[in-house]
Amino acid sequence: MYGNYLDKAAKIVEKKREANLKFEHARLTAEEKDDLLLKFHPDRIKKQFVELKIGPNKGQKAPIELAEMLQAKPRVEPDKIDLDHIDYEADVLVIGGGGAGTSAAIMASEAGAKVLLVTKLRVGDANTMMAEGGIQAADKPNDSPAQHYLDAFGGGHFDGKPELVYTLVNKAPSVIKWLNDLGVEFDKEADGTMVTTHGGGTSRKRMHACKDYSGAEIMRTLRDETFNRKDKITVVDFTAAIELIKNEKGEAAGAVLMNMETNELRIAKAKVVIIATGGAGRMHYQGFPTSNHYGATADGLVIAYRAGAKLLYQDSLQYHPTGAAYPTQILGKLVTEKVRSLGAKLINKDGEVYIHPLETRDVNASGIIREVREGRGVKNDVQDAVWLDTPMIEMIHGEGTILKSIPAMYKMFIKYGIDIRKEPILVYPTLHYQNGGVEIDKTCHTNVANLLVAGEASGGVHGTNRLMGNSLLDVVVFGREAGIEAGKMFKKIKLSKELSLKHVKDFEKARTAAKIKGNAVSPKLLPHYTHGNPEFEKEIPGASK
């Protein structure tokens, strides 16, 4: 129940629901999409980006908030760090405990490596856990990896690195089998056939899901498998990597770690380092709310950049079109795309279907921002928004579909008195995914020797826009690839005798030469939600006051 004004606004949607259900909005042409993105997508707002003054991507643009962290003061003073005192020693150091990190650790351990997995919070405190809608794989007779490739490459505006997209789609069927064999409870028909559905930008039904708990179920399984291998995988939680360590050859050779509870520093030495630190939603670019977990603060990008690793598409973020916009308690929480794939349509304040619900995410996010900015949004005291007409789902598929297919969505809203089976919900774009990151090749190598990156911290897999279901696929495919590659590499590498933080000193010199001012330190590690914090006093682009 919304209260007087919003109840009246919802009635407009209810009156037109029958007609809207039958109305099929035409897909936008390529020209119409380009025009919409140019005018309304947050990535196209030039004043929200600045030129990097130092580092491997000097001269390129980055979001203001990310640029500050990439060029901030390091958290360590190299001369005060005793690199001769080694606290942890491993064949493979994995930084990050989400889907990519655990997949990497599992595969590296399978190759016989002694693995150290360090994670800033706990294993599973990751964006993987937050993913809901599903994971793509072309494993049905009417589909193929080639078709999946066309969808993913085109959905990313043809900006993805071809070899990465190729790896993503061709490894997908075997990854689904691997996860299924590990125990992931995918939705299946009575005969055991996988249930698959459409997602935005997909030409075939290839979305495999676990109701709308897909990421949580996959993460549960990977977490259990990681802990089942405790003889080969040592997990150190509540410990952040705050700087990479190199050897005398300039190769990655470990990391400076910080205990998040005591701030004590520890030194980890390894033959191969894998960064799998996930995304950056808690940077709250442009003041947007986020669907990301608490620790998503771009740490991996920062420490890799300082060590000389190149970034790719660091200026590209994904704003998921349907973040909860009401009530306050769930502002920015993800409303899975599966809601739209089941038939719910996007409706403006006049009760009109203004766009196809399964346009790609950047297009639908831009469409919502346009409706709000041009006065066709639904005004409320939390975040002006548009309607997502969820009651349509049971009109299409029958009573009980919502509880069967998207129970998490039902539970998220019903606790605030909103029954999505009977009432539409208010949505607005939420900062969801870091399209760009550290540039990698198909086996996750960076331009820094012995440094691999996998998952959301990498760039190039999705180009400048990601399709639904390709994030869970990305983290598992490339997490596995990084682990497999590290499992080959460690056998040929000797542990370094000389460790160095010279690159940190060099970075400080570059900061001084570039006259970079400010007292910010990085990596950020955790967001700060305090009264008067300027991060949350920015106007969200497209939102009315």
Side-chain angles (χ1 to χ4, degrees):
M1 303 298 290
Y2 289 103
N4 288 338
Y5 172 71
L6 287 179
D7 277 345
K8 289 177 182 177
K11 289 291 184 186
I12 296 172
V13 180
E14 184 181 346
K15 287 177 183 177
K16 294 188 176 183
R17 183 169 294 136
E18 199 77 48
N20 282 336
L21 191 60
K22 297 174 183 176
F23 175 69
E24 189 72 19
H25 196 286
R27 294 276 189 169
L28 298 181
T29 66
E31 292 75 18
E32 288 171 331
K33 290 178 183 179
D34 287 344
D35 184 60
L36 182 61
L37 292 169
L38 182 62
K39 291 179 180 177
F40 297 101
H41 196 276
D43 280 357
R44 309 299 177 93
I45 303 174
K46 292 182 180 180
K47 67 180 181 180
Q48 296 293 343
F49 298 82
V50 295
E51 191 174 288
L52 293 169
K53 297 180 179 180
I54 58 174
N57 293 77
K58 180 181 176 180
Q60 296 180 12
K61 299 288 185 182
I64 293 170
E65 300 86 347
L66 178 60
E68 181 184 39
M69 288 295 99
L70 290 175
Q71 301 178 137
K73 296 178 181 178
R75 285 184 173 271
V76 304
E77 294 181 51
D79 291 335
K80 294 183 179 180
I81 304 296
D82 182 4
L83 295 176
D84 293 324
H85 181 83
I86 308 300
D87 298 284
Y88 302 101
E89 194 171 283
D91 296 318
V92 179
L93 168 63
V94 178
I95 303 170
T102 51
S103 294
I106 290 166
M107 298 313 294
S109 72
E110 204 162 275
K114 177 185 175 184
V115 179
L116 174 67
L117 187 154
V118 298
T119 181
K120 182 166 59 175
L121 299 174
R122 300 164 298 178
V123 175
D125 287 332
N127 283 347
T128 303
M129 188 74 182
M130 316 295 283
E132 296 167 346
I135 177 171
Q136 285 200 48
D139 58 1
K140 290 290 182 71
N142 69 331
D143 202 359
S144 70
Q147 193 63 46
H148 188 178
Y149 181 97
L150 292 173
D151 289 346
F153 195 48
H157 302 298
F158 305 99
D159 290 326
K161 293 181 71 171
E163 67 271 27
L164 298 184
V165 185
Y166 181 89
T167 301
L168 179 80
V169 302
N170 279 283
K171 298 285 185 180
S174 60
V175 157
I176 293 294
K177 183 181 185 305
W178 182 68
L179 290 172
N180 186 63
D181 290 347
L182 284 179
V184 172
E185 296 284 349
F186 287 111
D187 296 340
K188 297 175 182 175
E189 304 288 0
D191 64 359
T193 303
M194 294 268 191
V195 174
T196 52
T197 59
H198 271 302
T202 62
S203 59
R204 300 288 188 275
K205 292 182 177 181
R206 69 172 72 95
M207 204 68 58
H208 301 64
C210 313
K211 295 184 169 52
D212 55 349
Y213 296 104
S214 300
E217 172 61 10
I218 289 171
M219 192 69 252
R220 174 196 67 79
T221 306
L222 293 173
R223 179 182 181 277
D224 287 352
E225 185 65 18
T226 298
F227 285 117
N228 285 341
R229 294 168 176 261
K230 58 186 178 182
D231 58 324
K232 289 284 185 69
I233 303 173
T234 299
V235 174
V236 180
D237 55 12
F238 295 107
T239 299
I242 59 172
E243 210 67 68
L244 291 178
I245 296 172
K246 291 185 174 184
N247 61 19
E248 68 280 6
K249 298 177 183 177
E251 301 165 332
V256 179
L257 311 177
M258 186 180 82
N259 184 298
M260 295 294 288
E261 297 173 302
T262 65
N263 289 341
E264 292 175 284
L265 299 185
R266 296 286 183 264
I267 302 300
K269 186 178 184 180
K271 298 176 180 179
V272 184
V273 179
I274 300 174
I275 287 177
T277 50
R282 293 289 168 169
M283 299 283 280
H284 292 285
Y285 299 124
Q286 301 185 34
F288 269 84
T290 186
S291 63
N292 284 190
H293 82 104
Y294 190 56
T297 51
D299 298 354
L301 272 64
V302 170
I303 62 174
Y305 192 73
R306 201 137 56 215
K310 295 178 182 177
L311 304 182
L312 182 64
Y313 301 135
Q314 70 278 354
D315 57 344
S316 178
L317 287 303
Q318 181 170 86
Y319 297 83
H320 194 292
T322 54
Y326 187 95
T328 302
Q329 295 93 326
I330 55 172
L331 177 64
K333 287 275 193 176
L334 183 64
V335 175
T336 172
E337 192 166 307
K338 190 173 182 180
V339 176
R340 285 175 284 133
S341 71
L342 286 169
K345 296 182 180 180
L346 293 161
I347 312 286
N348 63 23
K349 74 167 187 178
D350 301 317
E352 297 171 344
V353 178
Y354 63 88
I355 201 167
H356 193 286
L358 292 181
E359 294 284 5
T360 55
R361 288 179 171 180
D362 54 351
V363 171
N364 258 324
S366 300
I368 293 172
I369 292 172
R370 178 193 65 192
E371 295 301 293
V372 169
R373 189 180 294 177
E374 294 185 350
R376 295 183 296 276
V378 181
K379 289 188 175 296
N380 67 84
D381 58 3
V382 178
Q383 167 62 61
D384 291 358
V386 299
W387 294 110
L388 183 58
D389 199 4
T390 49
M392 285 184 169
I393 293 172
E394 300 207 335
M395 292 174 70
I396 297 169
H397 301 286
E399 189 176 337
T401 300
I402 285 176
L403 289 180
K404 178 183 177 183
S405 299
I406 47 172
M409 291 296 95
Y410 173 79
K411 291 173 184 176
M412 184 165 79
F413 283 92
I414 197 65
K415 67 174 67 173
Y416 302 107
I418 300 168
D419 188 340
I420 68 172
R421 299 171 300 179
K422 301 173 183 177
E423 302 165 285
I425 57 178
L426 289 166
V427 294
Y428 190 82
T430 183
L431 186 52
H432 183 57
Y433 195 82
Q434 178 179 273
N435 289 326
V438 182
E439 185 171 3
I440 61 170
D441 65 15
K442 64 182 180 181
T443 50
C444 302
H445 284 276
T446 68
N447 62 295
V448 176
N450 299 343
L451 176 64
L452 310 180
V453 178
E456 197 174 347
S458 71
V461 180
H462 308 287
T464 50
N465 181 60
R466 178 181 64 77
L467 299 186
M468 172 194 180
N470 280 346
S471 60
L472 285 175
L473 182 59
D474 173 9
V475 300
V476 183
V477 165
F478 287 99
R480 278 172 51 88
E481 290 302 299
I484 291 168
E485 185 68 6
K488 297 174 184 175
M489 293 169 63
F490 88 92
K491 297 170 185 176
K492 304 174 185 177
I493 300 171
K494 292 183 179 180
L495 279 169
S496 301
K497 292 182 179 179
E498 293 183 33
L499 300 181
S500 171
L501 288 172
K502 179 180 179 298
H503 64 282
V504 180
K505 293 182 180 180
D506 291 343
F507 194 85
E508 282 280 55
K509 291 176 183 176
R511 289 185 77 251
T512 301
K515 298 180 180 179
I516 294 172
K517 299 178 181 179
N519 296 316
V521 295
S522 66
K524 188 172 187 176
L525 300 182
L526 292 174
H528 302 288
Y529 297 109
T530 55
H531 182 68
N533 187 342
E535 283 186 18
F536 304 98
E537 293 177 355
K538 300 173 186 174
E539 181 180 351
I540 297 175
S544 56
K545 292 291 186 182

